[in-house]
Amino acid sequence: MHSSTEGTTNGTSNGTAQHNIPNSCPSCPAPLKYSGSLDHLRYFEITPIIGREYPDVKVTDILNAPNAEEQIRDVAVIISERGVVFFRDQDNLNIADQKKFCDLLGKLSGRPEDHGLHVHPIYRDPGNLTLPDGTTDENIYVINSEAQKKIYKTMARRAPTEPRDLSREWHSDSTFENAPSDFSFLKMEETPPHGGDTLWCSGYEIYDRMSPSYRSYLETLTATCAQPVFKSAAEAGKYEVMSPRGSPLNIGDDFAPSHPVVRTNRITGWKAIFAGVGLHVTKINDVYSYEDQMIREYVMRLITRNHDCIARMKWTKNAAAIWNNSCVWHAATPDTHLVNGNRTGVRASSIGETPYLDPNSKSRREALGIPIV
């Protein structure tokens, strides 16, 4: 397989360019090239733009292969180029191996050496969900639709007067951290016969769908990505938030960093819209409030008008998805309350570099020589 990242760069400078946006990643190598170590594995692309599925592959076989590091590095390249990769029937994958694989994806692809797996800020909360064996793990986030239904019943909420705005579901993991997640690895251990699908959207392609002048303007902007609920939950529960959380940069309880609206993916060297939309993006900085609204609504409009930029996962028991948060957003479909059956999953996330924008990086279509229209 030809490497898609040739001819791109991660920059050689070490500092901050204009607009207070980092312009390089000191720990990041030049964009990685696919070595071909996975060519023996059967796969198919979900769409021409985003997503790949390996229907027969066991993650543990890659983890235990004689050339495991080479294969895992190539998996990181494929995920970063395709945005998200799906696996089925990972029945032999335990929590320890899931964590190890996710950690190695980041470690072998240029993540800062002192970064590791993310620690959930309110892991100490007594209401946290346990793993299927009844234990807890600070590096694992547990998803359980039945437990969430019970929690929601106890919450004081206004009765809905109109349908929910599901655009609010789109997000990248841990953008409330100074160093957000690069890779996330979700295994669905139990799922209803239908419902609960997850969607991923390519930030690469959304960037390419914008006019050159408009995306150049967005490259000058940052956004505040806040999640104040962690601090308020810790105060209400009289416990301290976890710290550090996968990086010495992720400490304290501010949870309101500024990130570039456009960032460079360290593995491909391609530009993507990053902090332009999402659950944690609270405002575009240094613009008027109406301009902030227009920018975020425009990015969301591109997502909803370009469904060819989206990959959809219909979950099956023990299926898994791994994605790169620096180039995709994802959104769960909140419809499991309409069906019988529980949706339970376990997710690990690696912590990547501080988001940066290399002025010499290219868009995906520019790097691959694909016409915009």
Side-chain angles (χ1 to χ4, degrees):
M1 173 183 172
H2 177 71
S3 171
S4 299
T5 56
E6 294 179 6
T8 54
T9 175
N10 270 353
T12 56
S13 61
N14 178 12
T16 299
Q18 299 181 48
H19 316 292
N20 203 35
I21 298 174
N23 62 13
S24 65
C25 170
S27 71
C28 302
L32 301 180
K33 298 178 182 179
Y34 176 75
S35 75
S37 69
L38 306 176
D39 284 353
H40 62 290
L41 302 177
R42 186 170 72 93
Y43 69 87
F44 60 88
E45 312 293 26
I46 304 301
T47 80
I49 291 172
I50 180 174
R52 174 177 292 188
E53 180 165 327
Y54 288 95
D56 311 316
V57 174
K58 298 288 190 181
V59 168
T60 51
D61 289 344
I62 298 175
L63 190 61
N64 297 320
N67 61 338
E69 289 197 358
E70 181 184 16
Q71 288 196 34
I72 293 170
R73 186 180 293 107
D74 273 351
V75 172
V77 173
I78 295 300
I79 294 170
S80 301
E81 292 181 355
R82 300 298 303 166
V84 60
V85 169
F86 303 151
F87 301 89
R88 302 286 175 178
D89 301 318
Q90 303 299 305
D91 49 286
N92 66 337
L93 180 69
N94 59 37
I95 295 294
D97 284 344
Q98 180 180 356
K99 289 172 55 177
K100 182 178 180 180
F101 194 87
C102 188
D103 191 40
L104 287 172
L105 284 171
K107 183 178 180 180
L108 297 175
S109 63
R111 183 186 72 191
E113 290 186 2
D114 55 354
H115 290 199
L117 294 180
H118 188 236
V119 176
H120 198 279
I122 55 174
Y123 170 72
R124 294 188 175 100
D125 194 289
N128 271 344
L129 301 177
T130 61
L131 296 169
D133 64 0
T135 64
T136 60
D137 189 308
E138 66 177 16
N139 300 127
I140 294 292
Y141 178 71
V142 178
I143 296 168
N144 187 309
S145 61
E146 288 299 315
Q148 288 173 333
K149 290 177 189 177
K150 294 177 182 178
I151 292 172
Y152 291 150
K153 286 181 180 179
T154 66
M155 295 173 62
R157 296 185 299 166
R158 297 179 182 175
T161 58
E162 58 185 63
R164 288 177 60 184
D165 178 8
L166 297 188
S167 68
R168 293 176 56 84
E169 299 291 329
W170 290 104
H171 66 286
S172 298
D173 288 337
S174 308
T175 49
F176 50 79
E177 301 282 22
N178 291 313
S181 297
D182 47 12
F183 295 99
S184 288
F185 185 164
L186 172 60
K187 177 188 174 186
M188 200 62 66
E189 300 194 325
E190 185 180 354
T191 183
H194 53 274
D197 293 2
T198 303
L199 292 80
W200 286 263
C201 182
S202 171
Y204 293 141
E205 190 66 15
I206 294 301
Y207 176 87
D208 270 324
R209 298 288 168 101
M210 296 177 175
S211 66
S213 59
Y214 194 77
R215 64 195 194 191
S216 293
Y217 172 60
L218 293 189
E219 290 178 13
T220 70
L221 299 177
T222 62
T224 298
C225 301
Q227 186 49 277
V229 70
F230 296 141
K231 182 177 181 179
S232 60
E235 290 175 346
K238 301 187 185 310
Y239 60 84
E240 293 185 1
V241 298
M242 299 293 287
S243 188
R245 298 177 294 275
S247 163
L249 301 175
N250 297 340
I251 58 175
D253 58 7
D254 287 342
F255 300 112
S258 290
H259 293 311
V261 171
V262 179
R263 73 177 291 180
T264 301
N265 183 297
R266 74 167 190 263
I267 297 171
T268 62
W270 302 341
K271 295 177 182 177
I273 301 295
F274 177 62
V277 72
L279 179 64
H280 305 127
V281 178
T282 54
K283 68 173 183 176
I284 306 296
N285 299 325
D286 303 316
V287 299
Y288 295 140
S289 59
Y290 186 60
E291 294 168 334
D292 168 32
Q293 178 184 343
M294 286 193 298
I295 292 169
R296 289 195 280 164
E297 286 184 350
Y298 176 54
V299 176
M300 185 56 62
R301 182 175 183 266
L302 290 175
I303 294 173
T304 57
R305 284 173 63 95
N306 294 280
H307 62 275
D308 59 332
C309 302
I310 292 175
R312 185 174 188 130
M313 171 63 133
K314 177 175 173 52
W315 291 103
T316 52
K317 183 178 177 64
N318 290 320
I322 311 177
W323 62 95
N324 188 316
N325 287 284
S326 66
C327 60
V328 297
W329 305 281
H330 62 283
T333 306
D335 58 359
T336 52
H337 63 289
L338 302 173
V339 297
N340 294 322
N342 198 6
R343 180 181 186 268
T344 62
V346 286
R347 189 198 72 202
S349 293
S350 165
I351 289 297
E353 75 281 4
T354 300
Y356 71 100
L357 177 61
D358 176 2
N360 297 314
S361 56
K362 299 179 179 180
S363 79
R364 170 183 168 272
R365 286 182 176 254
E366 289 171 334
L368 300 181
I370 301 174
I372 301 299
V373 294

